Structure formats: C-alpha cells, structure tokens
Amino acid sequence: MSATVELKLSRPNRIYRPSVPLEGKIVVKSASPISHNGIRISLKGSVDLQVRGGSAGVIESFYGVVKPITILSKSLEIKPSGKIVSGTTEIPFSITLRNPREDNLERFYETFHGTDVSIQYLATVDIMRGYLHKSLSATVEFIVESDKADLPDRPISPEMVIFYITQDTQRHPILPELKSGGFRITGRISTQCSMLEPLGGELTVEASALPICSVDIHLLRVESILLGEKIITETSLIQTTQIADGDVCRNMTLPIYVLLPRLLTCPTVLAGPFSIEFKAAIVINFQSELSRLHPKSDPITPRLWTAVETLPLELVRAS
C-alpha cells in the first residue's frame, strides 16, 4: 500500500472565524516507515476575479482573468525532518488565522462561490520527502465567516418593502390578453435579510385576466468587477423557489419563505475592485400556449407570458 495523507479539520462543518484557530489533525497511513524532510501546512485565502461573457465585450473577455486579491498567506512547520512509523499516524495542529499584531493584506471576506467572483480559503499539508520520493500532499477548503466582534450588536430585523405587480409595471412586452385584461398582484418582501434567517414575505393575487401557472421567487447574484476603467457587471440565477403551483385562489395570502444557500451567498460586499450584491425577483407565470412551446426558456429573461418584479436584497451577517 502506498502512503497517503489526509487533512481532517476539527469542525465537521469546516466553518471558522478569523479570530478562531484552525485546528485539526494530519492523518498519515503507510505500510512502511517514511522518512521526510519536514511537514508543513500552508493557508491560502484569495478573491479570484474572472470576466466571462454576458455584459463583457470581446476584448474584456479575452483579457478576462484579473489578478487575484490575496487575503491570507501563511505557512507553518508542524514537524521538522524525521520519520513517520508504519500504520496510521495522527499529527494534531493549530494555526491562528488572524494575528492582531500583524497587518493583514486584506479584510477577511466571507467564503463565496460565484460565477465571476470566488472567495476561497484552502489549507494544504505537504510532507516533503526529498528528490527520490514523491512528496505527499492534501488540500481541504475551510469556510470563513465574519468575526463576532465585526457583527452588529443588535439583531437584524428584516426590512419589508411593499410591492405591486400589474400590466403597467412591466418593462418587457407581455401577451395582448394580459395587456388588455390586466392583472394585479400585491405583497411585501424583505429587502434586508440576515444570513441565518430565511427570506420572508407574503403575496396576494387580487385579479388576473389569465389563469396562473406558477409563482416563483428567483434569488439572483449581481457580481461586478473593475477592469481598467470599466465596471463589468453580471447577473446570474442562484436558485428558484416555487411558492405556488397552478392557478392561485384570488385574494388568498401566500407566504414567501426562501432558504439562503450558504456557499452561494454571503453578506453583501461593496469593495473597490469588486462587489457582490443580490436581488429577489418575484415571477408570475401565466398559462398560455407559448409557455408550453418554450418550457426550458431562460428563467431570468422576461417572457410574454411572465410578469416580473425585481427588488434589491441586502444580506447581512448577524450575531
């Protein structure tokens, strides 16, 4: 059996705050003793920026990879040169992410996996074995959340905004029968929401000339990157939550309850070279022959048989 190494973190959810030490153990399995030139753990954290298609032009897409922003970069020797016995060996470690006496390169942004912006933190263990043997290495991602000291003292209460959706509020072409017959949907929804709480609200269909097929809530991310003197902005769909299926009873209040996916969302970030913002889109799909002919159309592009109301959504981390 060849030798293997694994990096196991102390927390099953792999969530850490900058002021909390990253702890775990290095697990080495080998059928025979291993001589090594040292065991090191490296921590890397960065904001990776990449401009893709969409709003970017041909030139911007060609030169689309922007230099990453380094957040964290440190390396620590866990063991000096020596030998690891055969069998299974566990080596504990503990590394402080943020030292108050050190000047950090950047603030610790929360982990985020986006389309154009990705904020990632990695821990890598290397067992160096010299020129005649291949070094052993393993990498694991850990998730960073804001320090409690950086969070608001008071709980965040959701900010509700009242909305109404009619044929006159639509900025895209709609079906003639919807234009002439009309419809009216009213409700309220959070525009500021804690990361630990669901996006909430309510919705009421007061009137509609056509039967309704479904009511959905689209959670959108808006990623912006500063490229030279130009800001490239891309809007993409994170998830869709259906709150009604089929024709909705008129004047009946429907609850809005949307769970936020952890790695695909983060507190709203407005930094210099990039920004991460979010939106909530309320989408009403009406029953029509056209919708049956295009069942797999782009969900975030307004269609003749849809009514849409898009609102900005600020996500915050609360204590």
Side-chain angles (χ1 to χ4, degrees), residues 101-290:
R101 291 172 293 181
E102 294 178 355
D103 292 330
N104 290 295
L105 299 175
E106 282 285 338
R107 58 173 281 198
F108 275 77
Y109 300 105
E110 291 203 9
T111 299
F112 173 72
H113 293 176
T115 303
D116 297 335
V117 180
S118 180
I119 305 173
Q120 194 172 38
Y121 298 86
L122 300 173
T124 302
V125 57
D126 291 301
I127 301 178
M128 295 160 284
R129 303 181 62 195
Y131 296 105
L132 299 179
H133 300 278
K134 185 179 180 181
S135 297
L136 300 177
S137 179
T139 300
V140 65
E141 179 183 10
F142 60 97
I143 300 165
V144 169
E145 291 185 355
S146 300
D147 261 329
K148 290 185 177 181
D150 300 331
L151 302 179
D153 296 331
R154 299 177 181 178
I156 299 296
S157 56
E159 292 185 2
M160 291 286 185
V161 166
I162 296 174
F163 65 85
Y164 67 94
I165 308 172
T166 69
Q167 66 277 9
D168 297 325
T169 63
Q170 302 307 294
R171 299 179 180 179
H172 66 282
I174 58 176
L175 293 170
E177 47 266 51
L178 286 175
K179 192 71 174 176
S180 59
F183 56 89
R184 182 176 176 85
I185 295 96
T186 61
R188 61 194 187 105
I189 192 171
S190 302
T191 55
Q192 185 185 65
C193 183
S194 168
M195 294 286 298
L196 301 177
E197 300 293 333
L199 172 65
E202 59 185 29
L203 177 146
T204 302
V205 179
E206 297 181 1
S208 177
L210 289 180
I212 290 174
C213 179
S214 66
V215 180
D216 301 316
I217 305 295
H218 289 340
L219 183 61
L220 308 172
R221 60 184 159 227
V222 183
E223 300 164 282
S224 300
I225 297 174
L226 180 63
L227 189 61
E229 297 180 353
K230 187 175 182 181
I231 298 176
I232 309 298
T233 300
E234 192 72 24
T235 301
S236 56
L237 177 67
I238 298 176
Q239 71 175 25
T240 298
T241 302
Q242 188 178 75
I243 64 171
D245 183 21
D247 199 15
V248 178
C249 294
R250 305 303 183 253
N251 297 313
M252 184 179 76
T253 301
L254 301 175
I256 296 174
Y257 191 91
V258 178
L259 296 175
L260 302 176
R262 172 58 193 93
L263 293 181
L264 302 180
T265 56
C266 69
T268 300
V269 178
L270 299 174
F274 72 98
S275 65
I276 304 171
E277 299 171 276
F278 300 92
K279 292 182 179 180
I282 303 143
V283 182
I284 315 297
N285 294 290
F286 297 94
Q287 296 181 20
S288 73
E289 291 298 326
L290 281 176

